[in-house]
Amino acid sequence: QVQLVESGGGLVQPGGSLRLTCAASGSIFSAYTMNWYRQAPGKQRELVASIGSSGSTNYADSVKGRFTISRDNTKNTVYLQMNSLKPEDTAVYFCNTWVGQYYWGQGTQVTVSS
């Protein structure tokens, strides 16, 4: 059983920054690939960024150069640093992993608006 808890969302102006945090339970966190997804109103959930157990990363084209995913295995935590935010980044952001089954956090709302 894996539990994921996201935090760090909020309201930010265009061009601003936020850092999302996902705290995970599980004694083998370091072996998990961790993902950040987002879902905007009326749209499908989309993969934003992934980080493997080795630290390798992948990003959606829409966030490359603006978002950075990282992890701290000593804290069982994964982060998503979001810079140069745009209104189209507005969405609920979810943390996700697969350990025999998919696990999702409850999500954290990010709103980019002036």
Side-chain angles (χ1 to χ4, degrees):
Q1 188 77 7
V2 176
Q3 291 186 326
L4 304 173
V5 179
E6 303 98 334
S7 61
L11 173 64
V12 64
Q13 292 186 342
S17 298
L18 283 175
R19 188 176 81 156
L20 305 184
T21 298
C22 173
S25 65
S27 59
I28 54 171
F29 172 81
S30 60
Y32 306 163
T33 290
M34 300 298 299
N35 308 301
W36 284 100
Y37 281 78
R38 68 185 179 187
Q39 187 166 21
K43 295 188 176 181
Q44 288 189 330
R45 194 170 294 190
E46 64 171 346
L47 179 63
V48 175
S50 296
I51 185 165
S53 57
S54 65
S56 61
T57 58
N58 285 289
Y59 298 93
D61 287 344
S62 58
V63 306
K64 281 181 182 176
R66 300 188 298 121
F67 290 11
T68 303
I69 189 171
S70 61
R71 66 191 301 161
D72 185 341
N73 291 334
T74 66
K75 297 181 179 180
N76 280 17
T77 300
V78 63
Y79 305 97
L80 186 67
Q81 177 66 44
M82 306 186 295
N83 299 327
S84 302
L85 282 160
K86 304 175 181 180
E88 51 263 44
D89 295 317
T90 296
V92 179
Y93 284 71
F94 298 90
C95 186
N96 158 273
T97 190
W98 187 90
V99 184
Q101 65 181 73
Y102 285 108
Y103 292 94
W104 295 90
Q106 82 287 353
T108 186
Q109 176 70 48
V110 172
T111 302
V112 184
S113 175
S114 55

